[in-house]
Amino acid sequence: DAGVTQSPTHLIKTRGQHVTLRCSPISGHKSVSWYQQVLGQGPQFIFQYYEKEERGRGNFPDRFSARQFPNYSSELNVNALLLGDSALYLCASSLEGTVNTGELFFGEGSRLTVL
Amino acid sequence: GNSVTQMEGPVTLSEEAFLTINCTYTATGYPSLFWYVQYPGEGLQLLLKATKADDKGSNKGFEATYRKETTSFHLEKGSVQVSDSAVYFCALSEWSGGGNKLTFGTGTQLKVEL
């Protein structure tokens, strides 16, 4: 079975541009979460979606937005890119809307470089 | 808010040595605790978890015990292998705005040499 898949794997943008990152969860998983991992640090929570509704939002500016589609795939959008947005963006899926009862399955991430 | 503190790396060990990676947490409630591992070029994988005080999580020879009295969840392995070289992240779960999220530590890089 396919794991969590993310695209693109690598991309380079310039300041002020917009980026869209995509994620397909494991088949049957209804919850998708997004994390930002800056080099040398642990992942930081951005969003969680469950059954197409936002269930949690981390401490990120409104330039960051996301949505979940009827097939449970998800997009993360970042507008007006800043140099500090350069990071590995991780998508994770799980069966339910909680992490306490099950594990998160992570994709390999999309590495964004902002010049 | 809640937070996780891990010992800084890199930690360099010889094969078959004993491993301890310290992790302490701050939380207002009763979170579940996790260790995730990130091998070079790969995504995060759950290594083990514990959902309540005194629980011991174990997997692949690694183990960690949820210690509420010391707010700790230290990772141990009796005999490391070169293949254990990776970055290890301690994390806790917390409820935020109607959903659960993981709060991670900064990660500890482990290098195991022959």
Side-chain angles (χ1 to χ4, degrees), chain A residues 35 37 42 48 55 99-100 103-104, chain B residues 46 93 97-100 102 105:
Chain A
Y35 287 78
Q37 186 178 14
Q48 184 199 20
R55 286 295 186 90
V99 299
N100 283 0
E103 68 180 276
L104 286 185
Chain B
L46 178 67
S93 67
N100 274 275
L102 287 176

Side-chain angles (χ1 to χ4, degrees), chain A residues 33 35 37 40-45 48 54-58 88 90 97-108, chain B residues 30-32 34 36 38 41-46 49 51 89 93-102 104-107:
Chain A
S33 299
Y35 287 78
Q37 186 178 14
Q41 297 184 19
Q44 297 289 317
F45 173 75
Q48 184 199 20
E54 183 181 304
R55 286 295 186 90
R57 184 185 181 110
L88 181 67
L90 296 166
T98 69
V99 299
N100 283 0
T101 57
E103 68 180 276
L104 286 185
F105 294 82
F106 283 87
E108 294 189 3
Chain B
Y30 301 94
S32 291
F34 304 82
Y36 277 82
Q38 189 171 36
E42 298 185 15
L44 288 166
Q45 302 174 24
L46 178 67
K49 67 179 181 181
T51 58
F89 292 93
S93 67
E94 59 181 312
W95 185 259
S96 173
N100 274 275
K101 71 173 186 179
L102 287 176
F104 287 88
T106 54

Side-chain angles (χ1 to χ4, degrees), chain A residues 80-102:
Chain A
L81 285 167
L82 303 174
L83 295 179
D85 296 330
S86 296
L88 181 67
Y89 288 85
L90 296 166
C91 175
S93 74
S94 61
L95 275 169
E96 302 173 328
T98 69
V99 299
N100 283 0
T101 57

Side-chain angles (χ1 to χ4, degrees), chain B residues 10-14 84-86 109-113:
Chain B
V11 173
T12 303
L13 296 173
S14 299
D84 293 326
S85 298
Q109 184 175 14
L110 171 65
K111 298 180 181 178
V112 181
E113 301 173 335

Side-chain angles (χ1 to χ4, degrees), chain B residues 59-107:
Chain B
N59 186 27
K60 298 181 181 179
F62 292 89
E63 59 182 33
T65 301
Y66 190 164
R67 301 287 188 198
K68 185 171 180 290
E69 63 277 12
T70 55
T71 61
S72 65
F73 193 54
H74 304 321
L75 181 68
E76 296 181 336
K77 187 175 185 182
S79 176
V80 294
Q81 305 300 311
V82 172
S83 59
D84 293 326
S85 298
V87 181
Y88 293 80
F89 292 93
C90 184
L92 64 79
S93 67
E94 59 181 312
W95 185 259
S96 173
N100 274 275
K101 71 173 186 179
L102 287 176
T103 297
F104 287 88
T106 54

